[in-house]
Amino acid sequence: MSRKLRLGVNIDHVATIRNARGGRHPDPVRAARQAAQAGADGITAHLREDRRHISDHDIARLSRDIDLPLNLEMAATDEMLEIALRHKPHAACIVPEKREERTTEGGLDAAGGFDHLKPYVETLGRAGIRVSLFIEASREQLEAAVALGAPVVELHTGAYCEAEGERRVALLHQLAEAAALTETLGLECHAGHGLSFDTVAPIAALPEVMELNIGHFLVGEAIFGGLDSSIKRMRALMDRARDELDGEMSA
Ligand code: PXP
């Protein structure tokens, strides 16, 4: 039997819609509660330096009012470290951040940024926060994550989701190789970015992957069928891919 695959629901874009009018609706904390009821195993939120979606107050409320584990996505800055240490989320995923980007465009350069990242990984870890590094699927980055002492990596699935045809197959292969390598290196493997109903199954079928973090598509799809329905369908697609994998492994 492969391990259970957890779903972390990223509620950033509920806050994006709220902020378009500057009021309180729709409330990301209400979305997090609904996600919990729909089968999410965790809530993910990215407090960006420019506060374009999630606010400091959202993080305080999510930490206080939601029973599911909170995964705080954050840049490696002193400001974000101080916020993480104040709220002590279950996990902190360190992501690269550029103000001008529309979303987190590439993985963290864990190898090139080693000296900068080291104190953040250590301080978060010492505070009992499970640190993950959002990286591209490459041996160099995985080995840097090990050297940094991060227990978890999240593989960036954005390029795979955007690609088509043979290029998508090649990127999936790269993700599969990296996921297999996490096992050898003793890292827990997560994946996320850009995943949709169409792209989730092959990633859910990678046996080493233990958690997917999915946001934009789920919130977008909620416009048409509700958040409950979009999360339940995603959960079902993930579970089916995992069941098929178990069938293959026991055949
Ligand atoms: N994982 C990480 C590290 C991210 O930065 C994001 C985007 O905030 C996601 C997962 C979710 O990506 P998406 O919103 O495209 O599903």
Side-chain angles (χ1 to χ4, degrees), residues 10 12-13 44 46 48 53 73 93-95 103-104 134 154 191-195 213-218:
N10 179 317
D12 291 352
H13 296 296
T44 294
H46 185 178
R48 292 189 74 103
H53 37 58
E73 292 176 359
C93 179
I94 303 183
V95 301
T103 179
T104 314
F134 187 45
E154 179 164 329
H193 209 281
L195 292 169
N213 284 300
I214 311 182
H216 183 266
F217 180 84
L218 290 173

Side-chain angles (χ1 to χ4, degrees), residues 219-235:
V219 173
E221 195 59 22
I223 292 170
F224 305 105
L227 190 59
D228 184 74
S229 148
S230 75
I231 292 172
K232 282 185 175 154
R233 179 145 178 235
M234 189 62 85
R235 179 81 264 170

